Amino acid sequence: ESRAGALVAQHEAAWTWQAQKDTIQDVRGRVLAGPTQLLNSQSPEGVRNTLMVLRFLHDFEHRIDELKGGEGDALDEGMDRWTALELFCRPWVLTLARRPVLLRLEEHVPVALRALCALCSPWGLPFGSLLAWVTLQSPGAFCRLHLRRIAGPALAP
């Protein structure tokens, strides 16, 4: 929880759909089990904020599932895994209009992984983009994900 009362949730290495679902479920559990200044059941505004965050998490999970190509065994044969992964790893900030931040959901990238991505950039970025293109996925999503891993969450989606 931040000083302003927002729930700050960081995830690391959630590269598979199951890891992403587990992360979203963990955030849901934290919203429900650990009330914050803005997310609680003590006031009508707190309840509204909590429901809004839970709805965002539900819609977020559903959208990533759509990008993966459905449920069940079809997940391994998904439409565009890079786009789904890039969408999940973006820094997300949930807020009401002109009000404080309710939820920050962001990927924590260790320094060693940032250095490895930067070191591999000269050949990894073009090779990964080509591989994404050949497999009929999104080279742009691969590039955005790779660059965000190097620059950190300061790189806007």
Side-chain angles (χ1 to χ4, degrees):
E1 180 179 353
S2 71
R3 284 179 283 213
L7 179 62
V8 179
Q10 290 187 327
H11 57 87
E12 183 177 355
W15 299 324
T16 65
W17 174 229
Q18 188 57 47
Q20 293 168 3
K21 285 183 81 148
D22 292 344
T23 298
I24 292 171
Q25 189 61 32
D26 289 345
V27 174
R28 269 193 206 111
R30 285 178 56 193
V31 168
L32 294 172
T36 66
Q37 179 182 348
L38 299 171
L39 303 173
N40 58 61
S41 60
Q42 307 306 318
S43 67
E45 186 174 323
V47 170
R48 183 192 62 194
N49 293 344
T50 301
L51 290 175
M52 189 168 90
V53 167
L54 292 174
R55 179 58 193 214
F56 165 77
L57 293 170
H58 172 76
D59 291 345
F60 186 50
E61 182 177 19
H62 181 70
R63 179 65 181 136
I64 292 173
D65 190 36
E66 285 177 345
L67 288 171
K68 292 281 188 179
E71 292 188 16
D73 297 332
L75 282 176
D76 294 333
E77 306 296 326
M79 298 289 290
D80 191 349
R81 290 180 293 249
W82 285 115
T83 300
L85 180 61
E86 191 269 333
L87 181 69
F88 182 79
C89 291
R90 286 181 183 177
W92 289 95
V93 177
L94 185 61
T95 184
L96 296 172
R98 298 187 181 168
R99 294 210 177 140
V101 173
L102 302 176
L103 172 70
R104 288 185 57 84
L105 181 64
E106 56 193 29
E107 179 183 32
H108 170 71
V109 182
V111 175
L113 183 58
R114 282 181 202 251
L116 180 65
C117 288
L119 182 66
C120 295
S121 280
W123 59 268
L125 197 59
F127 180 72
S129 296
L130 178 64
L131 187 60
W133 182 73
V134 167
T135 58
L136 301 176
Q137 297 189 31
S138 173
F142 172 81
C143 290
R144 285 189 302 272
L145 180 64
H146 186 75
L147 292 174
R148 193 172 301 112
R149 291 244 164 91
I150 296 169
L155 183 66

